[in-house]
Amino acid sequence: ADKMNQHNKIVFSKTIKQSLWHPTNFVSGDPTEEIMLLKGKKGKDMILFGSASIASALIRSGMVDEYHLWIHPVILGRGKPIFHDLRNQIKLKLKDSVIFESGAVANYYSLQ
């Protein structure tokens, strides 16, 4: 948590406007356009947590260059797919894989 607290966070929301978790910036515009603007600025890597719809939009627009896919040993039966409406095949290269005691597996991929 300490490491996460040190980083700038961007929340895409049309309803939430404030957070006690600093530093946090709120954006209500198009996520793809906002990420494109951020990628044009000087800075470090970005990571997306918690939004299948934003992930799908960024993947379709070609803005994702690395995938950290975590597989948890739970079958939900339904959910929101992140690889939705892809127009082209995306070839990935496995960079690393970690197996946790819980049975979860983290696979790290880059674009080929």
Side-chain angles (χ1 to χ4, degrees), residues 64-85:
V64 177
D65 53 14
E66 191 170 280
Y67 294 82
H68 295 198
L69 302 177
W70 288 57
I71 302 164
H72 295 270
V74 176
I75 298 173
L76 299 175
R78 62 180 166 200
K80 295 181 180 181
I82 62 169
F83 302 109
H84 185 64
D85 290 336

Side-chain angles (χ1 to χ4, degrees), residues 40-66:
K41 294 181 179 179
K42 189 176 182 179
K44 303 255 180 186
D45 295 336
M46 291 180 268
I47 189 164
L48 173 69
F49 288 110
S51 178
S53 62
I54 293 175
S56 291
L58 296 176
I59 292 166
R60 281 192 307 273
S61 67
M63 285 197 272
V64 177
D65 53 14
E66 191 170 280

